[in-house]
């Protein structure tokens, strides 16, 4: 038996770092959505665990125990007591270190597919957070979610207006640890995202909401005085803002991928074509915002 599924890109439409726990983990609040585009995983029965990686972003992806997909497989084995194996094929279409949850989404889909393949119970998000803060939210249905705590406290977001996304990455990675260190020099501002996502927002109100909440990491990446200043982010955000039909734009997660929100597929795809033509070195991808 062979099972396959898409591991969709995870996009943080807002992100506030709200504090730091005694154990060193940062707490956050974020409105997370998923794009109708991502990596693909295929699993089939095998006598051991074997990972193969292909696709446009396969270069540099480890195929040993460092890979989050194999870490997820080993975690599922330990938690369920199974000794079954699998041959796993990962097709990487999302850029590395981009803040759109490529590895986390891959791990979440691996957990789901392998549980079906091995006929074992699925593990809980609270258990899966050991793999990374973004894994629990990626284990949910690909619908808008409010993410809190260190990533393990989840709730469904109110229905958002139908939108399309344009994802843009300068092909530069941003190390998560360095990002948190840079942000740590600023006092975190508490917020309450879950209570302030209004019901029944139209596109104009949604754009205002996005502008109000923003992303704490965008502040350090676009600040020339910051140790992690990345001028490409400012360039991408301005290029997105200049596109016809772009409602709002910002950074996703702590990575280098930026997003623009558009009301229609036509506007998003037209903007993506223009951006790709003018900036050959950027990765540009239009995708529907899943709801």
């Amino acid at each position: 038996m062979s099972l396959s599924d898409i591991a969709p890109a995870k996009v943080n439409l807002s992100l506030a770092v709200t504090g730091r726990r005694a154990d060193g983990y940062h707490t956050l609040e974020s409105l997370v959505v998923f794009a109708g585009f991502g990596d693909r995983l295929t699993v089939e029965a095998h006598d051991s665990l074997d990972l193969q990686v292909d696709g446009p972003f396969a270069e540099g992806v480890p195929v040993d125990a460092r890979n989050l997909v194999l870490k997820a497989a080993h975690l599922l084995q330990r938690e369920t007591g199974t000794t079954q194996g699998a041959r796993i094929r990962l097709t990487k279409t999302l850029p590395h270190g981009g803040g759109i949850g490529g590895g986390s989404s891959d791990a979440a889909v691996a957990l789901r597919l392998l549980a079906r393949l091995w006929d074992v119970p699925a593990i809980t998000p609270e258990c899966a957070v050991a793999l990374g803060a973004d894994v629990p939210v990626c284990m949910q249905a690909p619908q808008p979610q409010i993410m809190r705590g260190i990533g393990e406290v989840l709730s469904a977001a109110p229905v958002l207006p139908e939108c399309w996304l344009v994802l843009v990455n300068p092909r530069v990675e941003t190390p998560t640890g360095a990002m948190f260190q840079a942000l740590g020099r600023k006092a975190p501002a508490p917020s309450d995202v879950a209570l302030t996502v209004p019901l029944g927002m139209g596109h104009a109100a949604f754009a205002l909401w996005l502008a109000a909440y923003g992303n704490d990491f965008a502040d350090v990446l676009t600040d020339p005085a910051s140790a992690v200043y990345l001028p490409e982010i400012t360039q991408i955000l301005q290029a997105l803002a200049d596109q016809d039909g772009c409602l709002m734009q910002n950074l996703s997660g702590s990575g280098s991928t930026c997003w623009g929100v558009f009301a229609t597929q036509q506007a998003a795809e037209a903007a993506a074509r223009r951006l790709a033509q003018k900036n050959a070195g950027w990765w540009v991808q239009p995708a529907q915002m899943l709801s």
Side-chain angles (χ1 to χ4, degrees), residues 43-182:
V43 302
E44 59 184 17
H46 193 55
D47 56 1
S48 62
L49 284 173
D50 175 67
L51 176 64
Q52 302 169 357
V53 181
D54 60 17
F57 287 98
E59 185 176 355
V61 177
V63 294
D64 55 21
R66 294 172 294 167
N67 192 289
L68 207 56
V69 167
L70 285 179
K71 289 182 180 180
H74 287 300
L75 177 63
L76 186 61
Q77 285 179 326
R78 291 195 302 272
E79 291 296 315
T80 62
T82 185
T83 58
Q84 298 176 77
R87 177 175 285 117
I88 306 169
R89 179 180 178 183
L90 169 61
T91 300
K92 287 294 298 179
T93 58
L94 297 176
H96 313 297
I100 48 178
S104 297
S105 191
D106 295 343
V109 171
L111 288 171
R112 182 168 65 249
L113 292 180
L114 290 172
R116 289 174 55 195
L117 181 71
W118 295 338
D119 192 24
V120 296
I123 65 173
T124 65
E126 292 78 11
C127 178
V129 76
L131 297 168
D134 282 339
V135 175
V137 74
C138 292
M139 293 174 67
Q140 309 303 305
Q143 297 171 338
Q145 296 276 330
I146 301 295
M147 180 171 68
R148 294 196 196 87
I150 61 171
E152 84 288 11
V153 182
L154 303 169
S155 60
V159 176
L160 303 177
E162 292 186 6
C163 296
W164 275 69
L165 302 167
V166 174
L167 304 177
V168 185
N169 184 286
R171 299 178 188 268
V172 178
E173 294 187 40
T174 53
T176 302
M179 294 295 294
F180 273 102
Q181 286 180 1

